Amino acid sequence: MTGDLQAMVALAQLSGVGPRRLWAASRSGPAQVWRDLVARRTPAGVPAPRSLCERWWGEVESVSVENVFADHTAGDLFVSAAGLVGAPVLDGAGPEHPAHEPDDPYVPPLLFWRAWSPERFDALHRRPRVAIVGTRRASRYGLDVAHELGGALAEAGVVVVSGLALGIDAAAHRGAIAANGAPPIAIVASGHNVVYPRRNRELWEAVARAGAIGTTAPLGTAPEAWRFPARNRVIVGLSDVVVVVESHHAGGSLITADYAGARGVPVLAVPGPIRSATSLGTNRLLGDGCGPCLGVDDVLVALGLQGADVRAAQPETGEADRSSDDRAVLDALGWESVTLDEVVARSGRPFAVVASSLASLESEGLVAATAGRFERCAGGSDR
């Protein structure tokens, strides 16, 4: 006999079924809703026009509830549902779902999970969680800061939550994984077998091995535009603090910050150069009253962990041992993306001297060159 969790997973495969209709099905009894559809009846309590119901009647004829559920719970995949008694797979208490009230927009009725180690995943609800978010088109400064924050928080036992996007998200998760501390969580906007962006496939696998990946999207689902704001709401619902590392004047990370403010989750922003386009959004957040994030200690204070023995990683550039020309070039770079001509003008050094210094600093990993512009790197490592 079809159970409620199995029916919820099957319902999620149907056309036009999103969080609102799944919540309605959860209240009405998913198994009964499925039986109504199989019997070509309009399901009670699930808002839908007649035309959509007729479409569902046709679709359920080719859907095997048992096979769909088996696909979503095979290997390292499993499912959890809010509001269904006994539905969570691990311990029955629902630690893998955010705390919620009925119809909480920040809590999905159904989450599809992937985690290689159920034991590590089961421990996630006993740790504080911090979302690190930001632009996909990040500067080297932003990537370095995200990587350092992710690593320092993981070392402190804090779960790093992000969206596995390019840029800041990926850098934060790489930092958390490299620290080999608290396991990370990623929330994505596509099915587990549809890696997006494709460039992050290796990182997806690493996060699944180290922690867990969650999504509201069933297997085979492409990352439609509406799923990204929905993903961001889940990230906020899972997090105790949100840190925005870099953001342009508009973008998904600012939307995430707005969601956090509406839900009462503290938001911190990393200050950036006032001339940098990638810091316009974060600097605006600071101007609007968000707390500054100058290092991991600020995040720990926001979590109420002031006594934690953790120190923010500081860039080790060995500048004291450098030539005056190299030091002048590093100072001229600051922490923004600049052209060679701008470095020459700021440093007051001859063109040939600056070019030579930049080449040397780049070979040491202290400067990165992209499309004719140069950025200073922290720690001398590539992200």
Side-chain angles (χ1 to χ4, degrees):
M1 186 175 184
T2 299
D4 280 334
L5 182 57
Q6 290 87 342
M8 281 275 279
V9 175
L11 288 168
Q13 317 297 304
L14 302 181
S15 300
V17 175
R20 185 169 64 92
R21 290 191 170 107
L22 277 179
W23 268 122
S26 177
R27 290 191 298 270
S28 299
Q32 182 58 52
V33 170
W34 188 262
R35 288 192 291 270
D36 287 341
L37 294 176
V38 170
R40 303 181 72 82
R41 295 191 297 264
T42 300
V46 180
R50 174 78 179 186
S51 59
L52 184 56
C53 288
E54 291 175 351
R55 187 171 181 178
W56 290 341
W57 295 340
E59 290 177 351
V60 298
E61 293 177 356
S62 59
V63 175
S64 165
V65 174
E66 292 75 17
N67 290 346
V68 168
F69 188 73
D71 288 342
H72 286 84
T73 54
D76 56 359
L77 301 178
F78 54 96
V79 183
S80 66
L84 295 183
V85 176
V89 172
L90 295 178
D91 65 5
E96 62 269 36
H97 250 83
H100 72 283
E101 300 295 333
D103 291 320
D104 185 339
Y106 297 91
V107 180
L110 196 64
L111 276 170
F112 301 96
W113 289 101
R114 182 183 175 205
W116 284 19
S117 172
E119 293 77 17
R120 284 175 69 84
F121 182 79
D122 191 30
L124 290 176
H125 73 288
R126 292 189 288 272
R127 297 178 182 269
R129 300 166 176 169
V130 171
I132 300 180
V133 299
T135 179
R136 292 171 172 81
R137 296 170 289 138
S139 72
R140 177 62 53 167
Y141 163 77
L143 295 176
D144 286 339
V145 170
H147 191 277
E148 290 166 9
L149 282 175
L153 286 170
E155 287 178 356
V158 176
V159 173
V160 174
V161 184
S162 206
L164 262 181
L166 297 175
I168 297 301
D169 289 24
H173 269 142
R174 288 192 177 100
I177 291 169
N180 196 29
I185 291 179
I187 302 297
V188 298
S190 59
H192 283 295
N193 57 348
V194 183
V195 175
Y196 180 85
R198 293 181 181 178
R199 286 167 52 188
N200 275 352
R201 178 174 294 278
E202 185 177 341
L203 184 58
W204 276 53
E205 297 299 322
V207 172
R209 285 194 298 270
I213 301 176
T215 179
T216 61
L219 291 173
T221 303
E224 303 163 278
W226 69 269
R227 292 188 179 275
F228 289 95
R231 175 203 65 179
N232 295 346
R233 281 193 291 270
V234 177
I235 289 173
V236 170
L238 281 166
S239 301
D240 301 305
V241 173
V242 171
V243 179
V244 185
V245 175
E246 271 192 330
S247 174
H248 291 77
H249 65 90
S253 53
L254 294 184
I255 294 173
T256 303
D258 288 341
Y259 289 157
R263 189 171 170 82
V265 175
V267 178
L268 303 180
V270 174
I274 60 173
R275 295 186 180 91
S276 173
T278 56
S279 293
L280 291 176
T282 46
N283 288 341
R284 192 187 80 196
L285 287 174
L286 292 169
D288 290 343
C290 285
C293 175
L294 306 181
V296 68
D297 288 334
D298 290 330
V299 186
L300 296 176
V301 168
L303 288 169
L305 303 175
Q306 296 95 322
D309 184 22
V310 178
R311 181 174 57 88
Q314 297 297 325
E316 298 289 343
T317 62
E319 291 181 30
D321 299 326
R322 299 199 169 279
S323 70
S324 61
D325 289 333
D326 284 356
R327 290 199 301 272
V329 168
L330 286 170
D331 289 342
L333 283 169
W335 291 101
E336 58 185 307
S337 174
V338 295
T339 66
L340 177 56
D341 288 339
E342 287 173 321
V343 179
V344 171
R346 292 181 183 183
S347 67
R349 295 315 200 255
F351 184 94
V353 170
V354 171
S356 177
S357 288
L358 285 172
S360 175
L361 293 167
E362 185 179 1
S363 70
E364 296 179 50
L366 297 173
V367 169
T370 306
R373 302 183 73 86
F374 298 87
E375 286 188 85
R376 188 171 173 175
C377 304
S381 60
D382 185 21
R383 305 305 183 212

